[in-house]
Amino acid sequence: MSTSAEQSPSYWYVDDDARSTSVMEAMRSYRAAEVAMRRRTQQSMDMGENELLVLRFLARARLRQEDVTPVTVSRYLGITSASTTALLDRLEKSGHITRTPNPGDRRSVLIRSSEKSDDEVRHTLSAMHERMMAVVREMDEDQRDTVIRFLDAMRVAVDHIDA
C-alpha cells in the first residue's frame, strides 16, 4: 500500500531511509489531523484546550472513582492556582462541572464533571471514537502489540529533555 507520505520527500528527514521517513511522515500527518479535530471540538463546544483537557481528566477520574481537587487540576495542567480557579469558574458557570465540599479536608472542594458535560462530550466525540475503534478492532493481537510498543517508545523519545 502506498501513501502520500511514502511518495513525497521529507523536508526534515533528508538523509534517512524512505521506509523510516514514511513512518515519521504518516505520524506527522496523523498528529495534524488530531490537532485539527481538537480545534473543531473546541469550536463546537465553545471551549479552550484546557477546558477540554480538564473534562476528559475528570471523566477518567470518575471511572476510577478518584477524587479531584483544584490542586490536582493545577498539577495536571501545569498552571497556577489562580488560572485553575478562573478555569473552574468558567466550567462551573457553563454547567460542565460541580464543586462540592471535600469531606476529608474542610479547606478544599472536590471537582466532578456534570452529567451535562459527559453527555456533551460523548455526543460530540462518539462518532469519531467509534471510527477510531473500528480501525483498532481490525488489527490482530500482534499488530496491536507492535503499535503499542511503537507509540510507547515515541512517547519516551519526545518526553526526554536534552540537557
Side-chain angles (χ1 to χ4, degrees):
M1 180 168 96
S2 178
T3 66
S4 59
E6 292 172 330
Q7 295 170 353
S8 61
S10 170
Y11 73 92
W12 189 261
Y13 307 103
V14 177
D15 295 330
D16 289 313
D17 67 275
R19 289 181 306 176
S20 297
T21 300
S22 68
V23 170
M24 296 302 289
E25 290 298 331
M27 196 167 66
R28 185 184 312 269
S29 177
Y30 168 79
R31 287 185 61 229
E34 186 177 32
V35 166
M37 176 275 303
R38 288 182 189 279
R39 195 173 307 118
R40 289 188 308 270
T41 302
Q42 289 170 8
Q43 291 170 345
S44 168
M45 294 181 69
D46 194 27
M47 290 185 182
E49 182 174 0
N50 279 348
E51 283 89 349
L52 287 175
L53 288 172
V54 167
L55 294 181
R56 190 168 56 220
F57 180 76
L58 291 172
R60 284 192 306 265
R62 180 184 279 194
L63 288 175
R64 293 187 302 258
Q65 299 180 345
E66 294 175 355
D67 290 338
V68 177
T69 65
V71 170
T72 311
V73 172
S74 291
R75 288 182 184 146
Y76 174 69
L77 294 176
I79 61 176
T80 66
S81 60
S83 294
T84 300
T85 299
L87 182 145
L88 294 176
D89 287 347
R90 288 191 302 274
L91 288 173
E92 185 176 41
K93 183 178 179 183
S94 66
H96 287 93
I97 66 160
T98 59
R99 290 173 166 144
T100 58
N102 184 345
D105 181 354
R106 292 184 315 168
R107 299 165 297 162
S108 178
V109 295
L110 298 178
I111 311 298
R112 288 186 60 123
S113 57
S114 66
E115 293 235 2
K116 170 192 173 181
S117 173
D118 295 345
D119 291 345
E120 187 175 353
V121 169
R122 197 173 295 108
H123 173 76
T124 303
L125 300 177
S126 64
M128 180 208 48
H129 284 166
E130 186 53 40
R131 288 190 304 271
M132 292 172 72
M133 287 302 294
V135 171
V136 175
R137 286 182 192 114
E138 291 180 9
M139 301 169 87
D140 64 36
E141 188 174 349
D142 288 340
Q143 290 171 320
R144 285 191 296 268
D145 289 345
T146 299
V147 169
I148 291 168
R149 280 193 312 274
F150 169 76
L151 292 173
D152 283 345
M154 292 305 281
R155 179 188 45 79
V156 168
V158 299
D159 276 351
H160 180 77
I161 298 173
D162 295 325

